[in-house]
Amino acid sequence: MKPLPDTVRADYRHEVTDQDTADRWRNDLPVLATPVLLWLGEITAMRALEGYLEDDEMTVGLSHDSSHLAPTPAGREVQLTAVLRERTGSKLVFDVYGRDDREEILSGTHTRAVVRRSRFLARLAGKDHASPT
């Protein structure tokens, strides 16, 4: 990974569509689904690292410790922010926040790891040929 500046952050805007709502996740509510909100936090953290990864590097999500604080209906825009708080070796911990046009909807942390893409794909290919136990 290339050297990181003192502050690494990204902002990401997303319009909530019917495809993003909880009723697509076996819940009958027409609001932004929590799994989608967490994914948007991941996308935002990945964007913060754009330009700092070497050619054979990528990041993978390791964990979330976040709260989905308020509902957002389809048709509204959400704004997410990811700020790198800590780096320990290959692990990167981001503070993640989200708002819709009225209130805060996400607060927490998201951890990613820098991995070699070639090693990751080789490990994945090994699973394609292995029989499940």
Side-chain angles (χ1 to χ4, degrees):
M1 180 170 236
K2 297 173 186 172
L4 297 173
D6 290 339
T7 302
V8 176
R9 69 171 280 150
D11 296 304
Y12 183 68
R13 292 184 181 275
H14 177 80
E15 183 176 334
V16 179
T17 69
D18 290 338
Q19 296 294 327
D20 301 324
T21 59
D23 52 4
R24 300 286 181 171
W25 293 82
R26 298 184 183 178
N27 190 327
D28 64 351
L29 298 171
V31 298
L32 178 61
T34 300
V36 175
L37 181 58
L38 294 176
W39 174 238
L40 293 172
E42 288 200 27
I43 290 171
T44 309
M46 289 187 292
R47 284 192 169 194
L49 297 171
E50 288 178 354
Y52 299 110
L53 298 174
E54 301 290 344
D55 287 340
D56 190 39
E57 289 179 328
M58 62 185 231
T59 62
V60 294
L62 293 180
S63 67
H64 287 277
D65 184 7
S66 299
S67 296
H68 189 167
L69 303 170
T72 303
R76 297 276 176 91
E77 184 177 85
V78 293
Q79 166 78 37
L80 290 102
T81 300
V83 180
L84 182 62
R85 178 186 357 145
E86 174 185 337
R87 180 181 179 189
T88 306
S90 66
K91 290 183 182 177
L92 303 144
V93 179
F94 290 86
D95 290 321
V96 291
Y97 306 96
R99 294 190 57 79
D100 61 19
D101 61 333
R102 298 199 176 200
E103 61 193 326
E104 186 175 22
I105 61 167
L106 174 70
S107 179
T109 61
H110 171 54
T111 303
R112 301 194 68 73
V114 178
V115 299
R116 293 274 171 214
R117 179 181 296 273
S118 55
R119 285 183 57 196
F120 185 90
L121 293 175
R123 185 175 180 190
L124 181 60
K127 287 190 173 188
D128 286 343
H129 301 296
S131 60
T133 53

